[in-house]
Amino acid sequence: MFENLDALAPDPILGISAAFAADPSDSKVDVGVGVYRDDAGQTPVMRAVRIAQARVAELERTKTYLPASGNAAFNAALTELVLGTTHPAVTERRAVTLQTPGGCGALRLAADLVHETAPGTRVALSTPTWPNHPALIGGAGLETVRYPYYDEAARGIDFPALLASLDAMPAGTVILLQPSCHNPTGADLADPQWEELLAVLQRRQLLPLLDLAYQGLGEGLEQDARWVRRLAAELPEVLITVSCSKNFGLYRERVGAVIYTGRSPAEAHAVHTHLMRLARRMYSMPPDHGAATVGVLWADAALRADWQAELDAMRQRLAALRLDLADALGREIPRRDFSFIGRQRGMFSLLGLPPAAVEALRHDHHVYCAPDSRINLAGLNPAAIARVVAAVAAVL
Ligand code: LMR
């Protein structure tokens, strides 16, 4: 059956790690895949996570199946983290949360739900977006379309074009939005822009799919969720996909959730039953360990405070690295404006280099960024900044 399959090229993002690992250079710099790193280049297990998972191991009495909806303590924690405790969808029991294998599992399940309910629905993605978005949504059988987002030349969001595009979408179109730390651009909408966007979503009866993968790494845990909460309060239905990879550092444990807020408890319950059936059909039930760890951490006020302090420090480190890189690039390459890097948020920015320059960065200078010249700021430290700046100056 498979004798005619051609081997595929490596994944555009995950393939960078393999290429980096195979490079024997001792001056190589990995600013590719989006994982948080400290100054020593390590992706540490967060302090509170380490303690919570030891507790899980100690207290665990069974390995029997979770329900298809996942770990109940985790689902309650994530609902509170994303929506807060006083949100009307929570107090009126119009919100349901279902644990998923990572944010990817959440996106696929949300897409499956849309496809099963209304198979002809189109999902609109920003240009550019994370390369796995079209793959996950398309993999569920849905057609994807694009809306303009980032203007490469202006190094910022082309908001009039974005708004005009959404304003022409047919009712019922699903609009995938990233509420904070846009991947790959690092360019986030400002509050007045969200306000206008909300009005268009309402007027055109568009359904937002809010992909929240970096909560806490943009402006703060509460701030990064503010437009998720506002949209869920103002719109009849909202789908939210959540990842705990970055903000809990639980990447390989595959911890995520899909949250739905609807008009009534009955509607939310019905959606929940469909999500469970779709999960059963695909993977039966999610893995427990990472989600149980989040549940234990969340229930302990001291652990939660320590987790938040460590997350705050990660965010502050990213912001400082942004300013340092923007300054260093500006000094070395004064003819080009790199100040946008300092104004953006989260882990990523686009350097704005053509593919040949990205190739040269990798082959001639051992600097590994994504093919679209996206860099992961967390991969930097003072020595790496100097190398990246020298390499960018050389390839330009
Ligand atoms: C990234 O964008 O680098 C991360 O979200 C990791 C991934 O799965 O692509």
Side-chain angles (χ1 to χ4, degrees), residues 2-188:
F2 305 114
E3 62 271 29
N4 293 325
L5 283 186
D6 293 326
L8 296 172
D11 179 86
I13 291 179
L14 303 181
I16 308 167
S17 302
F20 179 81
D23 183 342
S25 165
D26 52 16
S27 62
K28 60 186 178 177
V29 180
D30 184 1
V31 282
V33 67
V35 295
Y36 182 81
R37 293 208 178 79
D38 60 19
D39 262 341
Q42 300 302 314
T43 304
V45 180
M46 294 177 82
R47 295 182 301 260
V49 166
R50 192 180 285 284
I51 294 170
Q53 71 174 356
R55 255 182 231 171
V56 169
E58 194 189 322
L59 296 175
E60 189 171 64
R61 290 290 169 268
T62 180
K63 290 287 187 190
T64 189
Y65 294 122
L66 284 178
S69 55
N71 182 300
F74 169 81
N75 287 335
L78 267 259
T79 310
E80 190 177 335
L81 174 64
V82 174
L83 292 174
T85 49
T86 57
H87 194 282
V90 175
T91 57
E92 293 162 20
R93 302 186 175 281
R94 294 183 284 107
V96 284
T97 303
L98 181 132
Q99 184 201 333
T100 56
C104 286
L107 281 159
R108 175 57 193 260
L109 212 53
D112 273 349
L113 177 72
V114 171
H115 183 256
E116 191 194 56
T117 313
T121 304
R122 288 175 166 177
V123 180
L125 310 173
S126 66
T127 296
T129 196
W130 179 48
N132 218 23
H133 276 149
L136 284 163
I137 306 289
L142 290 169
E143 187 187 341
T144 55
V145 293
R146 293 302 186 118
Y147 61 88
Y149 187 80
Y150 190 70
D151 179 351
E152 274 277 354
R155 305 272 183 258
I157 297 171
D158 186 350
F159 190 66
L162 179 158
L163 214 55
S165 169
L166 296 192
D167 216 352
M169 300 260 171
T173 306
V174 173
I175 314 296
L176 195 152
L177 297 159
Q178 299 183 50
S180 72
C181 307
H182 184 268
N183 183 1
T185 68
D188 287 342

Side-chain angles (χ1 to χ4, degrees), residues 34 102-103 213 242-252 254-256:
V242 191
S243 168
C244 298
S245 292
K246 278 82 183 183
N247 54 5
F248 286 91
L250 281 165
Y251 308 87
R252 65 174 58 179
R254 309 311 299 139
V255 188

Side-chain angles (χ1 to χ4, degrees), residues 45-394:
V45 180
M46 294 177 82
R47 295 182 301 260
V49 166
R50 192 180 285 284
I51 294 170
Q53 71 174 356
R55 255 182 231 171
V56 169
E58 194 189 322
L59 296 175
E60 189 171 64
R61 290 290 169 268
T62 180
K63 290 287 187 190
T64 189
Y65 294 122
L66 284 178
S69 55
N71 182 300
F74 169 81
N75 287 335
L78 267 259
T79 310
E80 190 177 335
L81 174 64
V82 174
L83 292 174
T85 49
T86 57
H87 194 282
V90 175
T91 57
E92 293 162 20
R93 302 186 175 281
R94 294 183 284 107
V96 284
T97 303
L98 181 132
Q99 184 201 333
T100 56
C104 286
L107 281 159
R108 175 57 193 260
L109 212 53
D112 273 349
L113 177 72
V114 171
H115 183 256
E116 191 194 56
T117 313
T121 304
R122 288 175 166 177
V123 180
L125 310 173
S126 66
T127 296
T129 196
W130 179 48
N132 218 23
H133 276 149
L136 284 163
I137 306 289
L142 290 169
E143 187 187 341
T144 55
V145 293
R146 293 302 186 118
Y147 61 88
Y149 187 80
Y150 190 70
D151 179 351
E152 274 277 354
R155 305 272 183 258
I157 297 171
D158 186 350
F159 190 66
L162 179 158
L163 214 55
S165 169
L166 296 192
D167 216 352
M169 300 260 171
T173 306
V174 173
I175 314 296
L176 195 152
L177 297 159
Q178 299 183 50
S180 72
C181 307
H182 184 268
N183 183 1
T185 68
D188 287 342
L189 293 170
D191 284 346
Q193 295 175 327
W194 274 108
E195 205 70 62
E196 282 189 68
L197 176 60
L198 169 59
V200 169
L201 294 172
Q202 271 167 329
R203 189 170 67 243
R204 305 292 309 188
Q205 298 176 355
L206 305 170
L207 172 65
L209 168 53
L210 305 172
D211 187 18
L212 189 61
Y214 300 91
Q215 188 183 352
L217 287 172
E219 294 175 48
L221 277 175
E222 295 291 306
Q223 293 91 322
D224 292 349
R226 70 192 185 282
W227 282 98
V228 176
R229 294 175 186 181
R230 179 77 191 283
L231 265 54
E234 305 270 344
L235 296 167
E237 291 183 301
V238 169
L239 280 165
I240 308 160
T241 53
V242 191
S243 168
C244 298
S245 292
K246 278 82 183 183
N247 54 5
F248 286 91
L250 281 165
Y251 308 87
R252 65 174 58 179
E253 302 294 354
R254 309 311 299 139
V255 188
V258 58
I259 300 176
Y260 167 80
T261 60
R263 298 170 192 83
S264 67
E267 197 172 282
H269 173 67
V271 165
H272 194 234
T273 62
H274 281 260
L275 286 170
M276 284 200 292
R277 191 169 64 83
L278 292 165
R280 174 68 167 147
R281 193 171 80 180
M282 191 165 22
Y283 53 77
S284 270
M285 65 286 298
D288 186 55
H289 181 76
T293 300
V294 171
V296 165
L297 184 160
W298 196 259
D300 181 318
L303 283 185
R304 210 201 285 191
D306 187 60
W307 165 70
Q308 194 166 337
E310 193 170 359
L311 182 61
D312 286 344
M314 288 159 65
R315 182 182 66 255
Q316 282 153 12
R317 177 170 174 275
L318 281 172
L321 285 166
R322 286 187 168 281
L323 294 175
D324 290 350
L325 180 67
D327 271 5
L329 283 167
R331 273 197 308 274
E332 190 67 24
I333 314 168
R335 67 183 188 283
R336 203 163 157 143
D337 182 13
F338 285 101
S339 60
F340 64 92
I341 295 173
R343 294 190 295 273
Q344 294 173 343
R345 296 269 187 274
M347 290 172 90
F348 307 117
S349 280
L350 291 171
L351 286 175
L353 303 178
V358 170
E359 272 302 298
L361 278 185
R362 185 182 291 202
H363 288 114
D364 304 343
H365 303 278
H366 310 280
V367 171
Y368 289 76
C369 64
D372 56 2
S373 80
R374 186 197 77 174
I375 52 162
N376 168 20
L377 277 294
L380 297 172
N381 57 33
I385 287 179
R387 282 191 211 118
V388 168
V389 169
V392 172

